[in-house]
Structure formats: structure tokens, C-alpha cells
Amino acid sequence: MFYDPAAGHGLPHDPFKAIVAPRLIGWISTRSATGQPNLAPYSFFGAFGSAPPIIGFSSEGRKDSLRNIEATREFVWNLATRPLAEKMNLTSATVGPEVDEFELTGLTPIAGRNVSAPRVGESPAALECRLLQVTHLHDLNGKPTDNWLVLGQVVGVHIQQAYLKEGLFDTRAAQPIMRAGYRADYAQIGEMFEMYRPMV
């Protein structure tokens, strides 16, 4: 099968999100200019560099997280895990900017060290970030899309001690969850294997 996205795929659901999968969840916590906490998941998320460490997510639509980041120039990424999956899902509800998702879900907001945005206390790991740039994405014809790419530099890393084993972060023990397809499809880490780069 081949299809041109501009012409449509003719399938019951768009396969794009199922093909580009699994994707770590951008579980982003922010604080508004007036101090209101916000927590929301984003399915388009990734790491873009390690020196310095840079992460980013794409917001489909101008949502509270994006507005808060533009106002304060900071955010925190929280690792979404299998034990936290239901609460993470609750934070995806469409609610007004006055609603505190930490309160809504019973999650614990912990003050940042290098940013004012809180992190999820229950998460095994969190990355405090300062904004590098927000890019309004355009299509091939130069037409603005309804997508904004947010890139941040990591300025603080939180790791729960229980997930450090012999100096390494134990990814399997943390049980990260990922988006893996359509509306309700998620995945978690199963079998892992090692493969080193060839020495030339």
C-alpha cells in the first residue's frame, strides 16, 4: 500500500501515529504567569541533543502548557510510568486553565530547584527545562499548521534513588509507558537487548 497524505489513506484510522511508535509521552508540568500549576501529556515528544541536553514536544493547538511556557520560559518533563498511567490519562482531560491537574489527580507537586514549575513527585524521573524556542510549524506550501514545536534545555535532573542501580538509571524498573498507535494504544518496555556500535 502507498498513499499520499494530502489525498488521504482510505483506512478507518490514520496509520501515521501507529507507524511512528512507540513514542515516550511528553508529560509536561508548567506554571502560569499568575502561578497556576498545569500538567498535561503530549504524544509527540523526544530528545534532540545530549550536550547540552535538549528535549521537545509538539502541541497540536495553542494549549495551556504552550501559553504558560511562552509566559514563564520554563517547564518540567515528568516520566509517565505504568503505575501512573491512569493519573497521567486524567491529566489529558480538557479542562479550563483555572483547574489544577495535580489537585484533580491527587498527584504531588514538588517545587522545582532551577525552575518555578512543579514536578510530579511520584514520577521516577523529571527534567527541569528552560525554553530555547517555540516554532510555529508550517507545511510545504508555507501555510501555518496548528502545531507548535517547543524545545527546552535541561537545567535540572531529578531521579528517585530507588531507580539507580550501580550508577545506572534502571529504565525497566521505572516502567515507562509510550504512545503506540491510535487513541487508546499504549505500550511499555518489554524485552530489552544490548547492541554496541562497531569499533572502526
Side-chain angles (χ1 to χ4, degrees):
M1 176 188 177
F2 171 84
Y3 72 92
D4 181 334
H9 47 73
L11 300 171
H13 298 284
D14 186 349
F16 174 73
K17 292 180 182 178
I19 294 169
V20 185
R23 303 182 306 278
L24 269 179
I25 295 163
W27 202 15
I28 307 297
S29 50
T30 60
R31 188 180 296 280
S32 73
T34 59
Q36 175 68 34
N38 182 268
L39 179 61
Y42 290 85
S43 68
F44 292 113
F45 169 83
F48 292 88
S50 62
I54 295 170
I55 62 171
F57 71 97
S58 180
S59 177
E60 293 188 311
R62 291 192 54 80
K63 299 175 182 172
D64 295 337
S65 302
L66 175 60
R67 288 189 289 269
N68 291 348
I69 292 167
E70 287 176 327
T72 64
R73 303 193 61 79
E74 55 189 34
F75 63 95
V76 178
W77 171 79
N78 305 274
L79 181 60
T81 65
R82 187 65 187 96
L84 296 173
E86 297 301 326
K87 291 191 175 191
M88 180 280 300
N89 192 43
L90 280 175
T91 66
S92 71
T94 303
V95 295
E98 74 285 353
V99 175
D100 180 343
E101 286 85 0
F102 285 94
E103 221 172 75
L104 182 70
T105 58
L107 291 165
T108 308
I110 304 290
R113 293 277 191 93
N114 295 331
V115 299
S116 66
R119 64 184 170 91
V120 174
E122 292 80 1
S123 180
L127 305 176
E128 296 185 2
C129 299
R130 291 210 180 102
L131 178 65
L132 290 174
Q133 64 193 77
V134 174
T135 302
H136 189 184
L137 301 180
H138 292 66
D139 68 15
L140 287 171
N141 298 316
K143 180 183 174 185
T145 70
D146 198 27
N147 299 279
W148 282 262
L149 174 63
V150 179
L151 295 176
Q153 183 170 324
V154 178
V155 296
V157 179
H158 297 271
I159 302 172
Q160 286 190 19
Q161 194 65 37
Y163 296 97
L164 282 176
K165 305 287 173 65
E166 299 178 3
L168 301 175
F169 181 73
D170 191 339
T171 306
R172 182 190 293 276
Q175 300 179 67
I177 56 172
M178 297 150 279
R179 289 308 309 267
Y182 302 107
R183 292 185 309 170
D185 294 330
Y186 287 83
Q188 61 188 87
I189 287 182
E191 182 181 352
M192 295 175 65
F193 65 94
E194 290 185 341
M195 184 165 55
Y196 294 96
R197 290 183 181 181
M199 301 297 290
V200 179

